[in-house]
């Protein structure tokens, strides 16, 4: 069994709601509400769910880009949110993030080579004399060319910009990368190229990924394990093949039923969920999914289901699963 690289325990991330003349706190948006998981070294865990389920907030909280409300995030046994600023700074190169929109994360007035090399200089990982060589190496690893060092972001296509984003993370020689919807803004053909690149890099560099997405076909391709989130909580967590072959939670079943099948001769019964996802500022009592669940009973409206192991590490939070 691979050693544990990342351990998230009872993570909560709430954002205050302020109102009135004195901007008093009148409530909280419970973006992430008590989730736990373990990510072994060298594996890819995908976090899936609808918009508003808390996927991106999980990633940002893990990297301490967003403050934690409660719980623990341990990277190689070290509690990230207890570190002092200088201690966290030393750890930053080992934990990197690739964002959904590569263009907005790049300075349009700065050459991409300079933008990528900034972090090397900031962390003291290269001198001014050898920074170009390291950046060009990262560009080539990401599927670009050394000559791209002197170009500006607007001179690149969407797929190339995402490769620049990957190069910016790779140049620091990370162990762990959070990939936040890295291919959702790209054409399908380009998506395949970027996904293949990420798989190759994982094998070559021994990387560990937390992959955030709503696209189940992408998740099925790149994942080792999958966690399904709904309204700030994990409702199902299993190995990729197990989850796609035997989904147990009604929400997971509905998500999979909406995924397109590449074979036009095959048909899948579509499960249509009623209503919209509730507000994380006022989540329903009991099971958070009961307002949209076709199988909900009285117990679901009162009692919060706990994640149960249904065998083989297949976890599900449903009173009637199995």
């Amino acid at each position: 069994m691979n050693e544990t690289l990342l351990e998230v325990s009872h993570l909560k991330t709430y954002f205050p709601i302020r109102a009135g003349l004195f901007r008093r706190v009148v409530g909280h948006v419970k973006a992430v509400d008590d989730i736990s998981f373990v990510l072994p070294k060298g594996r890819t865990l995908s976090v899936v769910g609808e918009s508003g389920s808390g996927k991106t907030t999980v990633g940002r909280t893990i990297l301490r880009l967003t403050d934690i409300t409660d719980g623990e995030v341990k990277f190689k046994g070290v509690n990230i949110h207890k570190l002092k600023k200088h201690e966290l700074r030393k750890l930053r190169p080992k934990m990197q993030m690739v964002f959904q929109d590569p263009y907005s994360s790049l300075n349009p007035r700065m050459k991409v080579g300079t933008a990528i090399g900034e972090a090397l200089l900031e962390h003291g990982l290269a001198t001014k004399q050898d920074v170009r060589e390291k950046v060009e190496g990262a560009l080539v690893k990401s599927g670009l060319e050394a000559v791209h060092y002197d170009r500006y972001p607007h001179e690149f296509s969407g797929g190339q910009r995402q490769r620049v984003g990957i190069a910016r993370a790779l140049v620091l020689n990370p162990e762990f990368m959070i990939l936040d919807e890295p291919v959702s803004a790209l054409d399908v053909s380009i998506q395949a190229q970027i996904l293949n690149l990420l798989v190759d890099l994982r094998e070559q560099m021994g990387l560990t990924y937390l992959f955030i997405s709503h696209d189940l076909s992408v998740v099925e391709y790149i994942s080792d394990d999958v966690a399904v989130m709904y309204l700030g909580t994990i409702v199902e967590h299993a190995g990729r093949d197990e989850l796609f072959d035997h989904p147990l939670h009604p929400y997971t079943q509905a998500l999979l039923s909406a995924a397109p099948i590449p074979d036009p001769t095959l048909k899948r019964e579509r499960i249509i969920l009623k209503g919209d996802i509730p507000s994380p500022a006022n989540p329903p009592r009991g099971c958070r999914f009961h307002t949209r669940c076709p199988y909900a009973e009285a117990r679901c409206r009162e009692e919060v289901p706990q994640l149960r192991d249904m065998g083989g590490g297949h976890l599900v939070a449903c009173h009637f699963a199995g």
Side-chain angles (χ1 to χ4, degrees), residues 244-309:
F244 277 83
D245 293 342
H246 305 104
L248 297 178
H249 197 281
Y251 180 60
T252 309
Q253 293 169 358
L255 288 180
L256 290 174
S257 78
I261 302 174
D263 188 344
T265 63
L266 297 177
K267 290 187 178 182
R268 178 188 286 154
E269 183 181 351
R270 180 75 191 274
I271 301 172
I272 306 295
L273 295 178
K274 58 185 180 181
D276 296 319
I277 187 169
S279 169
N282 186 28
R285 289 182 59 189
C287 174
R288 295 189 176 192
F289 186 59
H290 84 259
T291 58
R292 304 173 72 193
C293 181
Y295 313 111
E297 297 186 8
R299 179 184 179 187
C300 305
R301 292 187 281 273
E302 299 296 330
E303 186 180 338
V304 178
Q306 302 300 312
L307 275 173
R308 296 180 291 138
D309 192 336

Side-chain angles (χ1 to χ4, degrees), residues 215-275:
D215 188 330
L216 291 168
S217 60
V218 168
V219 165
E220 186 175 15
Y221 177 73
I222 201 170
S223 308
D224 294 307
D225 305 286
V226 181
V228 181
M229 285 192 70
Y230 183 79
L231 209 59
T233 64
I234 292 177
V235 297
E236 190 162 3
H237 187 170
R240 175 196 60 194
D241 295 339
E242 172 66 18
L243 185 130
F244 277 83
D245 293 342
H246 305 104
L248 297 178
H249 197 281
Y251 180 60
T252 309
Q253 293 169 358
L255 288 180
L256 290 174
S257 78
I261 302 174
D263 188 344
T265 63
L266 297 177
K267 290 187 178 182
R268 178 188 286 154
E269 183 181 351
R270 180 75 191 274
I271 301 172
I272 306 295
L273 295 178
K274 58 185 180 181

Side-chain angles (χ1 to χ4, degrees), residues 8-12 32-37 58 229 232-234:
V8 175
S9 304
H10 304 291
L11 178 65
K12 296 181 180 179
V32 180
D33 197 11
D34 197 6
I35 70 167
S36 302
F37 61 84
V58 169
M229 285 192 70
T233 64
I234 292 177

Side-chain angles (χ1 to χ4, degrees), residues 66 83 108 126 176 283 303:
T66 297
L83 293 177
F176 171 60
E303 186 180 338

Side-chain angles (χ1 to χ4, degrees), residues 6-14 30-37 47 54-64 66-74 79-81 178 210 229 231-234 288:
L6 182 74
E7 184 177 359
V8 175
S9 304
H10 304 291
L11 178 65
K12 296 181 180 179
T13 307
Y14 298 171
K30 298 178 179 180
V32 180
D33 197 11
D34 197 6
I35 70 167
S36 302
F37 61 84
V47 180
K55 308 184 299 297
T56 295
T57 305
V58 169
R60 293 182 62 85
T61 306
I62 287 172
L63 291 187
R64 202 168 149 178
T66 297
D67 290 333
I68 199 171
T69 301
D70 198 9
E72 289 184 337
V73 178
K74 290 184 178 180
N79 190 336
I80 293 170
H81 287 265
I178 293 180
L210 182 72
M229 285 192 70
L231 209 59
T233 64
I234 292 177
R288 295 189 176 192

Side-chain angles (χ1 to χ4, degrees), residues 19 100 225 320:
Q100 178 177 0
D225 305 286
F320 306 108

